[in-house]
Amino acid sequence: MLKGTIELLGDKSISHRAIMFSSISKGYNRISNFLMGEDCLSTISCFKKLGVGIEIKKNDVFIRGNGLYGLKKPSDILDVGNSGTTIRLMMGILAGNNLEATLVGDSSISKRPMDRVINPLREMGCDIIGDNFTPITIKGGNLNPIHYKMPISSAQVKSSLILASLYANGESTIIEKSKSRNHTEIMLKSFGANINVDSLKIKVNPVDELFSQDIYVPGDISSASFIIVATLITKNSEVIIKNVGLNETRTGIIDVIKKMGGNIEIINNKTICGELVGDLLVKYTKNLNGIVIEKDLIPRLIDEIPIIAVLATQADGKTIIKDASELKVKESNRIKSVVDNLKLLKADIKETDDGMIINGKSKLKGNKIKTYNDHRVAMSFFVAGLISEGEVLIDNKDCVDISFPGYFDTIKKLIK
Ligand code: S3P
């Protein structure tokens, strides 16, 4: 069983944004409870190459911002590693700066589509060499405003366009397909950006400068979700996770767990730096039921679908996940990687065009699974291993460092 009280490192999405917005602000910034995962360290390394002064002290980061137009031409290519957020958001910032930079990443990044950002940035007048995939060279400066109705729901695309719009010579409008995480809008406003949000419509007007901030990064709900599910499905468990980010664009997993009959409660909450933060009390739940997960709920739990699939194998009846074809272009094709691996553990699961159907409840059996170097696949199947008969062997455990350094020890410390 799992027992105890823990606090997690900072949210990945918010940590990335804190580095980026601080780097283009004027003045000194302090970021506390920053996530020292590989993805966020890639963002730091890119902005250092763009001439920004960044210092790390324990879990805090100190940044002397270069101002909105102050990034320097990098002498080297910018390597984003495994991080989609780094490359797509940076493209928006680079589009507005009068310099040339080339972006590359690892083998997973080189297969992920970038035309979703390249096309609208070109529409704004940005000069980009490259098609859909890395390497991509951006020659920034002189952007026109954009009026863009997004064809997909993506916080990375939305954020990239909001950032480019800071540099445009007029008002831009971005219309979302459905509400995705809104950390960019919240944080940029605190830096002094001129952003107005009216449900799915976001209006951005240029400003001369952004002004430095002290930012506290709440615990990552996506990382918490592995511990939450481990607690729900392991007999007699009870865990408190403190200071988790509970922004409602991210709490789809809590809604899903409640609908499945899972025992989860928010026992405290407050707003810090515009973000809702609270403590979660989670208890083992014997009887869970299958549900349908679809439509506007999908962007609110997109990164949690692998672990939700593991949870669904322990719920009675059918869980249907649909409208989730974006999963195919994550760090791995997460429809395939989740379905194929759960089949190896003898779950009753079927791949569909835009998701999966899981029939529970199954007794999972140990086997060797393939992570495809996807951190969330590795972490999900470690949780499956906690309740399987026989061991679940994970081919690459190190990839968890992308978003959750210390993951295995954190869970092992909770096991009593
Ligand atoms: C993220 C947005 C989501 C999410 C990713 C982080 C962000 O991607 O899957 O892990 O920080 O903006 P999409 O925008 O591609 O949906």
Side-chain angles (χ1 to χ4, degrees), residues 13 17 85 88 154-156 181 302-303 330:
S13 292
R17 286 157 171 82
T85 305
R88 296 197 178 112
S154 161
Q156 291 178 353
R181 64 192 69 190
I302 188 75
D303 291 340
K330 294 294 174 191

Side-chain angles (χ1 to χ4, degrees), residues 222-238:
S222 298
S223 298
S225 68
F226 302 104
I227 292 157
I228 294 171
V229 171
T231 307
L232 286 170
I233 64 179
T234 312
K235 272 191 191 130
N236 301 325
S237 297
E238 184 171 327

